[in-house]
Amino acid sequence: MTDTLYRKLQEHLDRLPIGFPATPSGADIDVLRIMYEPYEAEIALNLTPEPVTAEILAGKMYTAKDELFESLENMAKRGLLMRIRIEGVPRYALVPYIVGSYEFQLNRITRDYNRAHNRLMAESMGMEVFSGKTSQFRILPVERSLEGNQAVLPHETIREYIKNAKKIAAVDCLCRLKAEKMGKGCGHPLRVCLSLNEFADYYLEADMPAEEISSEKALQILDECEKLGLVAHTQNAGDDIYYICNCCKCGCGIMGAVNMFGLHSQISSSTYVAKTDKRLCTGCQTCLDRCIFSARSIENGVAKVKKSKCLGCGLCKTTCPSGAITMEKREESRLPDVPADVQEMYDRIQIDKGKPVRILSLKTIKEGLKS
């Protein structure tokens, strides 16, 4: 009976633009069984990306409101749904697995969950995340690497996202935490993922390993991550973004997959690409160590850039001792096509994959509930 319930939940989640495909080994069911108690799976089956109050959901499920409210709040704390408050009233919505409930599992990382998740990614979820024309992820260039460039696009000024955020939370990196739990930690700092506005509220209220920080502290984190050679990435949208991650290839699932499987074209690059001045390059190989995308090589004593692998993070430029590297705007045919906001990103992915259920961005939800 419970297998049937979890299969229904898998099929329910798979209707979203970023779905939850079945696996040959049953890893998908194993993940759901670890995450959701049977009653919670029933609740999730009755949720959609359109947020509802506990009262409305109780009527739909023919159950007591108070009991359901307690379960919904518990599920919110455990990252199994999205809770958003409008004028103080909590509403609950279904979220995809990635980016979504998986990233909210910071308090529940166990060896059993890790093993099931890794099998899920290898068998089906990895292809789900990286398939389609529109990527969920976008590389943010180090702003120091763009000094001197004319007309830097607003969506690439990472510091503006920080300065304009109403609330910021520094959150432990799930990927590195997961690796540490498996005895494979890389030593890079944990609390360097930045959640903004409603996402910050969510992490803080759920008592996850997170802390509210000032914009000044967030900018310090960005500077420290740059020194360590961590790449900043966010949602593939020009506005209304929820998070900024600072990633390494050793622990990050996204960056690791890009390198391992050559998926450079499946993540949106920045507008810029690195270029080396042969006259100034000394062949010191500093840029090779800084590039996590394997876009660098040394030929005849000079650093070369493979443009198809360079995602424009700018980390090589900021540490080039001879000043041989510049960041130049890509050719028009290779410029990233960045959706205007998160809702447009989700809508493009839905069209790409032909999925029946629309994911709603937090901005769309707020505007809809207030209208």
Side-chain angles (χ1 to χ4, degrees):
M1 181 66 179
T2 53
D3 279 349
T4 300
L5 174 63
Y6 289 115
R7 179 57 64 202
K8 288 181 179 179
L9 180 55
Q10 175 267 313
E11 292 171 349
H12 187 56
L13 291 169
D14 199 39
R15 290 165 57 83
L16 299 174
I18 303 99
F20 192 80
T23 63
S25 72
D28 54 317
I29 302 301
D30 290 341
V31 167
L32 295 177
R33 192 185 296 277
I34 292 169
M35 292 176 68
Y36 298 82
E37 297 293 334
Y39 181 54
E40 294 170 339
E42 290 274 10
I43 293 173
L45 277 169
N46 283 277
L47 288 172
T48 72
E50 184 78 40
V52 295
T53 62
E55 184 176 8
I56 291 175
L57 191 61
K60 181 179 179 181
M61 295 182 66
Y62 302 101
T63 190
K65 174 189 170 183
D66 291 344
E67 178 185 350
L68 181 60
F69 175 75
E70 184 177 347
S71 295
L72 287 166
E73 284 296 295
N74 188 38
M75 289 174 72
K77 288 181 179 179
R78 289 165 45 226
L80 302 181
L81 49 78
M82 172 54 72
R83 175 185 57 206
I84 183 170
R85 289 188 173 88
I86 301 295
E87 296 180 350
V89 178
R91 297 171 186 260
Y92 309 91
L94 188 72
V95 292
Y97 185 63
I98 295 177
V99 172
S101 58
Y102 167 64
E103 284 74 18
F104 298 149
Q105 297 308 299
L106 282 163
N107 286 334
R108 307 182 67 202
I109 296 296
T110 64
R111 283 185 172 271
D112 285 345
Y113 176 74
N114 279 349
R115 291 190 185 101
H117 169 80
N118 290 344
R119 285 165 45 221
L120 172 68
M121 293 302 296
E123 294 180 35
S124 67
M125 197 69 210
M127 182 61 70
E128 180 69 17
V129 170
F130 285 105
S131 64
K133 298 177 184 177
T134 305
S135 174
Q136 284 193 81
F137 312 107
R138 174 168 64 87
I139 298 299
L140 288 165
V142 175
E143 287 186 37
R144 284 202 307 122
S145 72
L146 303 182
E147 292 173 357
N149 275 290
Q150 300 298 314
V152 176
L153 296 174
H155 70 261
E156 295 193 305
T157 52
I158 186 171
R159 277 166 159 69
E160 289 304 308
Y161 290 124
I162 300 297
K163 292 174 182 177
N164 293 331
K166 295 178 181 178
K167 183 178 286 188
I168 305 170
V171 183
D172 282 2
C173 172
L174 177 67
C175 294
R176 289 187 205 113
L177 183 62
K178 180 171 171 286
E180 284 193 1
K181 294 286 186 179
M182 298 296 286
K184 299 179 180 178
C186 62
H188 286 117
L190 280 178
R191 193 155 293 180
V192 294
C193 289
L194 304 177
S195 290
L196 312 180
N197 303 319
E198 286 84 1
F199 250 45
D201 285 330
Y202 188 91
Y203 276 105
L204 294 167
E205 291 176 4
D207 294 325
M208 296 185 200
E211 61 181 305
E212 185 174 357
I213 61 172
S214 65
S215 58
E216 291 78 14
K217 176 62 176 176
L219 293 175
Q220 288 176 17
I221 289 175
L222 291 179
D223 290 338
E224 291 166 5
C225 288
E226 180 198 338
K227 292 176 183 177
L228 292 170
L230 304 183
V231 172
H233 91 264
T234 188
Q235 290 161 293
N236 186 22
D239 190 22
D240 189 37
I241 66 168
Y242 312 155
Y243 66 83
I244 298 168
C245 289
N246 291 288
C247 303
C248 57
K249 66 179 179 181
C250 34
C252 176
I254 300 300
M255 301 306 161
V258 167
N259 276 287
M260 185 178 296
F261 302 109
L263 300 172
H264 298 74
S265 63
Q266 298 304 107
I267 184 168
S268 188
S269 70
S270 81
T271 300
Y272 304 90
V273 64
K275 182 179 180 180
T276 303
D277 187 332
K278 296 179 182 179
R279 299 168 300 174
L280 298 177
C281 180
T282 63
C284 69
Q285 302 190 24
T286 300
C287 57
L288 271 67
D289 296 332
R290 291 281 281 183
C291 182
I292 77 167
F293 299 114
S294 304
R296 286 281 181 174
S297 63
I298 299 291
E299 295 180 20
N300 300 320
V302 176
K304 298 284 186 180
V305 181
K306 190 168 185 177
K307 290 185 177 182
S308 61
K309 288 188 174 182
C310 176
L311 296 182
C313 67
L315 287 172
C316 58
K317 181 187 186 307
T318 57
T319 51
C320 177
S322 63
I325 299 173
T326 55
M327 300 298 293
E328 298 195 344
K329 189 175 180 180
R330 295 177 187 272
E331 303 168 12
E332 288 295 323
S333 62
R334 294 183 177 275
L335 288 175
D337 181 15
V338 179
D341 55 23
V342 174
Q343 188 61 65
E344 183 180 328
M345 177 193 77
Y346 282 144
D347 290 346
R348 286 194 192 184
I349 294 173
Q350 182 183 7
I351 293 170
D352 290 347
K353 296 183 177 181
K355 293 294 185 79
V357 177
R358 188 189 191 207
I359 295 178
L360 301 180
S361 71
L362 293 176
K363 179 181 177 182
T364 299
I365 290 172
K366 288 185 293 182
E367 290 176 349
L369 291 175
K370 289 179 178 179
S371 63

